[in-house]
Structure formats: C-alpha cells, structure tokens
Amino acid sequence: MSGFPENFLWGGATSAAQVEGGRCEDGKGLSHLDYVYYRGPKSPCNFMVMDDVKKAREQEATLNFPNRRGIDFYHRYKEDIALMAEMGFKVYRMSVSWTRLFPTGTEETPDEEGVQFYHNVFRELHKYGIEPLVTMIHYEMPMGFAEEFDGWLSPKIIPYCVRYLKFLIDEYKDEVTYWLTFNEINMVTAVPWLGGGIILDRNIRIPQGFRPFAPMTDEFGKVWNHTSHQALHHQFIASAIVVKYAHDTAPQCKVGNMFNLHHLYPETPSPQDAYRAHEETEYNMFFCDVMARGYYPEWILAYYRRNNIEIDWYENYEQILMDGKVDFISLSYYLSSIVTADPKRQERIGSFIRRMNNPYLETSDFGWQIDPTALRISLNELRDRFHLPIFIAENGLGAFETLGEDKTVHDGYRIDYLRSHIQAIRDAIDDGVDVFGYTPWGWIDLVSCSLVSMSKRYGFVYVDADDEGNGTYERYRKDSFYWYKKVIESNGEDLD
Ligand code: BG6
C-alpha cells in the first residue's frame, strides 16, 4: 500500500484577519493587526515600532489598512464555502477572531453576534461535509493588550487569553474536532509585533540605522532576544493550559501546535557549516519540543545561558507544560535556505538567521526558494523525533497576478509548485511518515501577512480587489482550481 491514506484531509487554509473584513461590524473590536498599514507593494509592514503605532493611531482616517477589509469573507462565506465544496475540500483550516468574540479582550462574556457568526460558518462547512480545523490565535490580539501590556511580554495577558481559549472549546467542541493553539508560534521571536503584539522600542531606543529585517546591534539584539523568548514562554503556558482543558472536557477534540518549519543546509561540506546547520535545526525544533514533549530541552537551556536570556518562568510551569502536550504536530512550510559558519557573513533577524540563497534552487517572485525535497527530509525528521501524526497547515506560492480577459489566471507555476510539494508529501508517507492532511495557504487570494497587500496572491481563486481596496471583490477560478479539484478527486494519484 503506498500513497495518500483513504481519509486524507485535503483542503485549504486562511486566517480570520486576512479574509474576514467586517472590521467593526456587529460589535467586533480592533486587533493589533488592524493597525498595520500598507506601505507599498514590496515593503514588509508587520514590524511595528512606537512611531508606527503612533502614526496608525493619529492618521487612522487616511492610512490604508487592508486587514480591515480582508476579502469580505464575513459577508461572502457561503459563496466561498460553496467554492471549497466544488473543489472537494475535506477540511478548511481557518481561524477565529479573538476581537470578534471578545472585542477588547476584557469582557466577561463574548459578543453574541460574533459567537453566532462562527456557528453559521461551521454549519455551512458541515453542510458540505467539510471539517473545520480551527487556529485559536492566528496573529491576532486585542489592540489594548498590545498597548497596555506590551502584548505577550506580560503574564497579565494569560488569564484573559485562557478565558477566551476555554470559551472556544466549550462553545464549539461539538462542531470542531481539530484545533491549533497559536499560529507559527516561533514567529514571535522573529517578528515580535506580529507574533506577540510587542512594541520593541517601548523600553529601549532603536539603534541608529536600524531597519526591520536587518541584522541588529548587540544591545538591541539582547533586548529583542530576551523580550521575544519571554513572550514565547507565556504563549507556551497559555497553549498548554488549554490543551489540558480540551483533553479533560472534550476528549473527542484533537489539539495541535503550529510552527514555521524552515529547513537549513550547510553552505559547504565543512564540519563548521554542518554544525551551524545542526544548531539552527535544533533551534527550529525546540518550539515543537516544548509543546509536544512537554519540557524545555537541555540544548535550548544552554542556548539561553550562552545568550544571557533569563526567563521569568511562571509558577508551576513545568507541570503545566507536561500536562498540556499536543496531540499532533502541524506546520507551515514555504522554503529552505542555507547557513554558514563564517561570522562575517552570519547575520541574524532577531533570533532567526538571515536566509541565504541556495544556487541549486529556483526562487519565487518574492525571493522565496522552492524546495520540496527539504519538506520530505523534515517530515522524516519530525517523525523520528516526535512519533506523532503531522498536519501540513500551510504551503503555497505567492505571485503577482492579473485577471486575464478570459476572466481567469493561467497559473501553471503554482500548479508546478504544489505538484512537487504534494509529491514530496507522498514520498514522505511512503517513507513511513503519518501525514493526515494538507491545506495549501491562501486557497483564495487574501491579504498578505508580511506585505499587507492584495498583490501577493496565493489562491486557486482570484479575488478582484487591489491593494487600495478597489475592485468588485468577485471571485474567479484560476487554472489551479480545476487542477486541485482533480488532485482531491483522485486522492493525490493524478497530479498531471
Ligand atoms: C505564514 C502565515 O507565515 O505565511 C500566514 O501563517 C501568511 O498568515 C503566510 O499569510 C504567507 O506569508 P505572506 O507574507 O506571503 O502572506
């Protein structure tokens, strides 16, 4: 027997902030992502510092906030779910919006209309036999928490968050079996505002010449390192508490982690380069270690000591982590990169290495290198390390696209990308890895997370909207729509 198992969960993924829109409708509050404003077609914007937050507040009436519009899923969810059903989706990976349910995060009880909205979405999905897989927190928190608590840096957020997460289980446990706690939990160490609502320069002056996604000075790097790992720890705690709660109160539910997998090769065969690649791989895996094994591995504790990262551990944290181990591993995977041991060329973005290009790989419009083999290798490594089922929650190709006169997009490049990755997953399954589902990112065009724009498109479905919000928001099937339908129909046998 080889190939995809019979009940394999084929589908697609999105997040609430990037698709819903309906920004203040029916009582919704504003989240920290609602304050990220558009800065141009290739300018990363989800790194916000004090001046950006101030500007977003002061110029709210004139700046462009694409997340507030999304792609209008809030009003069009029935039409979108019908498109998913037409492709034969078995699962839809979506997220719920914290601020639609608890507008400021401090309310004792949730907003009724928000609660009903998600019941409606789940009902519509089940009508077509589509299983919802829900991310509880996909880069979203009430804006007040970012401004008053420094986001996840403060333990004060934990009780509010836990109340929200427990509410989700209590309210939706009969409609939702599969849950993920935090989207790409490791991203808080790379992009503290996005992943943790942290305004990095609140307590330290940003060094002159510093720009987002550039290497940083030692002093600033130290603050960054400490701040982001402390915030991460608080997220681990909140996640473990809710995993245990789900196990105790809704044993039919399965809860997974979610991390961004980046596979790293040594730049040369030198043992030093190989050691660097090993170190970075250990670092990437540690996010899963804590959530799946229930403890901080020795390696990361040594890393913390070496880098003077002192964590305020939280009462009883060891037991909390041990009691809240996830049921499955989930990941996003887009690209691989290479590392060097040469200190002059070794650069970091926060706790992450700066990516270096691999001459053996092709690169997307946005500089992301395409490498399905790395996915196969990593899936094998994850099997050996955790022996847990694996769900591939994100994978896909962002590209600039325009709607043709024939009202479609001939996106053969996307089909090639997905075909090669689906083949790699199939190979990994044949290697003995238990992969139980695959949801390509942005099954429908949506607001890009890093660029906060519509012009980076991932979808099987084109949405007629531009970066400024012009357009009809009508949906159009691309070539990949029909191709993916065939893939699902044949359970991954027909990839042509
Ligand atoms: C992942 C996120 O990092 O990558 C998504 O979970 C995001 O929210 C996706 O959209 C692709 O990134 P981008 O910046 O191309 O939208």
Side-chain angles (χ1 to χ4, degrees):
M1 172 69 194
S2 70
F4 291 94
E6 221 177 285
N7 50 359
F8 190 79
L9 294 173
W10 297 97
T14 63
S15 81
Q18 292 166 271
V19 298
E20 278 184 10
R23 67 167 184 132
C24 286
E25 272 174 68
D26 303 331
K28 184 186 175 300
L30 288 173
S31 77
H32 79 309
L33 273 205
D34 288 321
Y35 281 91
V36 177
Y37 55 90
Y38 177 72
R39 301 175 203 185
K42 279 203 169 183
S43 310
C45 6
N46 51 31
F47 185 96
M48 302 256 293
V49 292
M50 289 285 276
D51 282 350
D52 301 315
V53 175
K54 203 163 151 247
K55 181 168 169 185
R57 282 271 187 217
E58 287 173 2
Q59 299 176 32
E60 201 165 348
T62 50
L63 289 171
N64 176 8
F65 299 100
N67 285 320
R68 298 185 182 194
R69 297 187 294 269
I71 54 163
D72 198 27
F73 178 80
Y74 189 65
H75 299 108
R76 293 173 184 255
Y77 69 91
K78 288 192 179 169
E79 179 188 348
D80 288 350
I81 292 171
L83 285 165
M84 296 178 204
E86 192 182 326
M87 274 189 283
F89 277 22
K90 315 282 182 225
V91 66
Y92 173 36
R93 180 200 167 213
M94 54 179 280
S95 73
V96 285
S97 162
W98 190 346
T99 52
R100 192 171 291 294
L101 292 164
F102 293 87
T104 67
T106 56
E107 294 80 0
E108 295 281 330
T109 52
D111 180 80
E112 289 287 314
E113 282 167 294
V115 175
Q116 193 52 47
F117 172 67
Y118 293 113
H119 278 304
N120 295 345
V121 170
F122 298 146
R123 188 176 319 115
E124 195 69 13
L125 288 166
H126 285 300
K127 185 168 115 189
Y128 295 104
I130 301 172
E131 197 68 52
L133 181 144
V134 174
T135 315
M136 295 168 156
I137 298 190
H138 191 125
Y139 293 151
E140 203 223 358
M141 68 163 59
M143 182 64 175
F145 288 168
E147 290 180 307
E148 283 154 37
F149 293 169
D150 270 334
W152 279 95
L153 181 56
S154 164
K156 284 194 219 145
I157 195 170
I158 296 177
Y160 294 108
C161 179
V162 165
R163 179 163 67 195
Y164 160 60
L165 300 183
K166 285 184 174 175
F167 162 78
L168 292 179
I169 297 289
D170 292 343
E171 182 72 25
Y172 298 117
K173 61 176 183 263
D174 296 331
E175 292 150 286
V176 180
T177 303
Y178 298 103
W179 299 88
L180 310 178
T181 53
F182 286 83
N183 181 61
E184 292 188 337
I185 196 157
N186 45 339
M187 276 300 142
V188 68
T189 65
V191 199
W193 167 262
L194 177 71
I198 299 166
I199 307 166
L200 260 183
D201 60 340
R202 200 204 277 270
N203 304 315
I204 184 173
R205 211 164 53 82
I206 295 202
Q208 229 185 356
F210 173 82
R211 57 196 161 78
F213 303 105
M216 63 186 105
T217 65
D218 280 353
E219 188 204 1
F220 190 56
K222 225 169 99 187
V223 172
W224 183 319
N225 238 342
H226 167 261
T227 305
S228 60
H229 286 91
Q230 181 67 64
L232 170 73
H233 183 65
H234 292 149
Q235 295 186 344
F236 283 150
I237 297 285
S239 173
I241 292 174
V242 77
V243 172
K244 178 170 172 11
Y245 185 75
H247 289 163
D248 291 347
T249 63
Q252 75 278 18
C253 291
K254 303 273 174 234
V255 191
N257 71 334
M258 184 343 186
F259 82 116
N260 173 251
L261 169 73
H262 40 244
H263 187 86
L264 294 150
Y265 300 100
E267 188 190 20
T268 72
S270 91
Q272 288 76 15
D273 279 1
Y275 187 72
R276 285 288 301 133
H278 163 77
E279 257 190 325
E280 293 296 343
T281 304
E282 282 295 295
Y283 183 72
N284 194 217
M285 288 287 172
F286 125 76
F287 301 94
C288 285
D289 284 336
V290 177
M291 300 178 83
R293 291 170 158 172
Y295 59 89
Y296 276 74
E298 295 78 1
W299 184 88
I300 198 71
L301 295 174
Y303 172 90
Y304 281 9
R305 280 195 297 276
R306 271 200 303 277
N307 291 283
N308 302 314
I309 299 174
E310 282 171 22
I311 301 293
D312 218 342
W313 288 107
Y314 201 80
E315 204 185 333
N316 204 22
Y317 82 96
E318 283 168 311
Q319 194 61 47
I320 293 174
L321 295 179
M322 192 46 84
D323 288 345
K325 290 187 280 184
V326 293
D327 303 306
F328 64 94
I329 300 284
S330 91
L331 57 97
S332 59
Y333 173 74
Y334 291 91
L335 67 159
S336 68
S337 72
I338 57 180
V339 285
T340 171
D342 177 352
K344 284 193 233 74
R345 292 187 303 124
Q346 234 184 60
E347 295 177 342
R348 298 189 78 86
I349 305 164
S351 306
F352 278 73
I353 48 146
R354 194 177 76 115
R355 297 186 192 280
M356 291 167 55
N357 277 351
N358 185 331
Y360 293 95
L361 299 176
E362 284 179 18
T363 304
S364 78
D365 285 359
F366 291 87
W368 292 14
Q369 291 209 292
I370 302 168
D371 186 5
T373 306
L375 177 59
R376 179 181 183 179
I377 299 170
S378 297
L379 289 173
N380 273 277
E381 287 171 356
L382 286 166
R383 175 207 52 212
D384 292 346
R385 196 160 176 136
F386 300 110
H387 304 286
L388 285 173
I390 299 174
F391 189 92
I392 299 172
E394 282 184 36
N395 172 236
L397 182 76
F400 288 113
E401 289 170 337
T402 44
L403 191 67
E405 278 179 14
D406 52 357
K407 297 287 175 213
T408 186
V409 178
H410 301 294
D411 55 345
Y413 40 87
R414 178 167 296 108
I415 294 174
D416 291 344
Y417 178 100
L418 294 171
R419 178 191 294 120
S420 63
H421 285 78
I422 293 173
Q423 185 58 54
I425 297 165
R426 189 195 161 123
D427 291 339
I429 291 173
D430 291 347
D431 296 336
V433 184
D434 178 6
V435 184
F436 70 100
Y438 177 63
T439 48
W441 176 254
W443 73 271
I444 184 166
D445 293 347
L446 39 61
V447 177
S448 154
C449 178
S450 52
L451 305 174
V452 197
S453 70
M454 280 304 296
S455 42
K456 186 176 187 186
R457 295 174 181 271
Y458 283 88
F460 302 122
V461 173
Y462 182 92
V463 176
D464 176 26
D466 70 12
D467 295 345
E468 272 73 37
N470 305 310
T472 61
Y473 286 76
E474 291 299 307
R475 278 64 168 143
Y476 298 92
R477 296 163 186 79
K478 302 181 193 174
D479 285 355
S480 57
F481 180 97
Y482 301 102
W483 174 82
Y484 193 50
K485 180 174 179 341
K486 214 160 46 104
V487 171
I488 298 177
E489 251 163 29
S490 66
N491 198 29
E493 288 299 313
D494 185 355
L495 300 180
D496 289 340

